[in-house]
Amino acid sequence: MATSTYTVTGMTCGHCVSAVQKEIGKIDGVSSVDVDLATGRVVVESTAPISDTEVATAVDEAGYEVANS
Amino acid sequence: MATSTYTVTGMTCGHCVSAVQKEIGKIDGVSSVDVDLATGRVVVESTAPISDTEVATAVDEAGYEVANS
């Protein structure tokens, strides 16, 4: 199992959280996506390490942005 | 055609707008639901006058609230 953490900006409600979870969840190997709306913190668990670019693309697809850390 | 206007509070994003449109759209006779996210103004067109209570219930179902005018 691999765990990656991101900060996503622009989410304002539960629907935003669902949209982000759904898009990241489509990435191969992702087993869970935990989103904290208040902080924008997104924890992604996957069976193998995933690419940050893929996550950024998924978040963009959902209509939000990964903050540069 | 009848037109009713409401103010809905709590919507923060396009997903909220869609949720409100979808629930109000389920009311019998409703032909269009126009939502302005910035102001919360919701304009409902229907083939016959609709009940404010039904609209308030639909908005509540979506997870938001009609402001008392």
Side-chain angles (χ1 to χ4, degrees):
Chain A
M1 286 299 259
T3 304
S4 314
T5 303
Y6 304 89
T7 301
V8 172
T9 58
M11 297 184 295
T12 55
C13 74
H15 298 116
C16 298
V17 169
S18 302
V20 166
Q21 283 180 319
K22 191 175 157 190
E23 285 302 325
I24 296 178
K26 285 181 188 169
I27 298 170
D28 247 19
V30 167
S31 53
S32 91
V33 184
D34 191 66
V35 179
D36 184 72
L37 174 58
T39 59
R41 190 182 160 95
V42 176
V43 180
V44 182
E45 290 206 339
S46 51
T47 50
I50 50 170
S51 118
D52 289 352
T53 309
E54 254 185 301
V55 172
T57 303
V59 168
D60 185 69
E61 284 286 319
Y64 307 94
E65 221 178 312
V66 175
N68 293 315
S69 51
Chain B
M1 286 299 258
T3 303
S4 314
T5 303
Y6 305 89
T7 300
V8 172
T9 58
M11 296 185 295
T12 55
C13 74
H15 297 116
C16 299
V17 169
S18 302
V20 167
Q21 284 180 318
K22 191 176 157 190
E23 285 301 326
I24 296 178
K26 285 182 188 168
I27 299 171
D28 247 19
V30 168
S31 53
S32 90
V33 183
D34 192 67
V35 179
D36 184 73
L37 174 58
T39 60
R41 190 183 160 94
V42 176
V43 180
V44 182
E45 290 206 339
S46 51
T47 52
I50 50 170
S51 118
D52 289 352
T53 309
E54 252 184 303
V55 172
T57 303
V59 169
D60 184 70
E61 284 286 318
Y64 308 93
E65 220 178 314
V66 175
N68 294 316
S69 52

